[in-house]
Amino acid sequence: SQWGEENLQALSIQEGEDVTMNCSYKTYTTVVQWYRQKSGKGPAQLILIRSNEREKRSGRLRATLDTSSQSSSLSITGTLATDTAVYFCAATGNTGKLIFGLGTTLQVQP
Amino acid sequence: DTTVKQNPRYKLARVGKPVNLICSQTMNHDTMYWYQKKPNQAPKLLLFYYDKILNREADTFEKFQSSRPNNSFCSLYIGSAGLEYSAMYLCASSRDGQGSYEQYFGPGTRLTVL
């Protein structure tokens, strides 16, 4: 597996709180993407961060990529109930394919 | 329009029977993918088409077939369904097959094999 020894994570927080989700990967990666999957829908991309970028922001979202520790994080500030979803990180390795992590289930209580 | 459509949304199949799932996109994307998603597991790439070239993953090579009659449509075919095929099947498309661009996903087809 491209991904480290991560357990399937589930987080439950209150609306308005900030949250950070982490991923680590084993092999060389050129691109990390974060996807969100809401109930009944397919995954939708949130952020794409390349190996020459350390940080990328999009609205309330912030992604980081640390190639030295082979890890990435996604932070959401001021969460809303509508942020409730499963969040996947996905990395592109030397095969050119996108390898998904197990995902983090985030429940934001209103 | 960045919509990827999948039909049917739900499919019930009997063990040993064939299953055919359909995906379409109108973004003129070169690459179309099929993933299998089981509960508490990561989406698993089964195969993808880059233009007219089919690439199947080594561990699912014999289990799944696919066709892409034109740029917009792609099917996933299971010749003889087994209980282990019960899963969500996600179709996606992207501009390239190098993983450097966003993949657009359809809503999925939930396959239940009995």
Side-chain angles (χ1 to χ4, degrees), chain A residues 8 30-31 33 35 37 40-46 48 50 88 92-93 95-103, chain B residues 9 33 35 37 39-43 45 48 56-57 88 90 97-108:
Chain A
L8 191 65
T30 57
V31 171
Q33 302 185 43
Y35 285 79
Q37 185 173 19
K41 308 264 185 178
Q45 190 206 60
L46 297 174
L48 182 153
R50 300 185 187 276
F88 293 100
T92 300
T95 62
K97 300 170 190 172
L98 206 57
I99 309 297
F100 283 83
L102 291 172
Chain B
R9 292 293 307 275
Y33 307 82
Y35 291 86
K37 175 72 173 71
N40 298 331
Q41 295 184 19
L45 179 66
F48 67 96
R56 287 187 285 180
E57 292 296 283
M88 176 72 79
L90 295 165
Q98 296 303 309
S100 300
Y101 292 94
E102 176 179 2
Q103 291 189 14
Y104 294 84
F105 283 84

Side-chain angles (χ1 to χ4, degrees), chain B residues 32-35 44-49 54-57 60 64-66 74-76:
Chain B
M32 295 185 75
Y33 307 82
W34 281 100
Y35 291 86
K44 174 183 169 59
L45 179 66
L46 299 176
L47 53 87
F48 67 96
Y49 262 100
L54 173 62
N55 298 271
R56 287 187 285 180
E57 292 296 283
T60 57
F64 299 94
Q65 292 283 345
S66 183
C74 189
S75 67
L76 182 70

Side-chain angles (χ1 to χ4, degrees), chain B residues 25 71 78:
Chain B
Q25 52 89 15
N71 177 270
I78 301 168

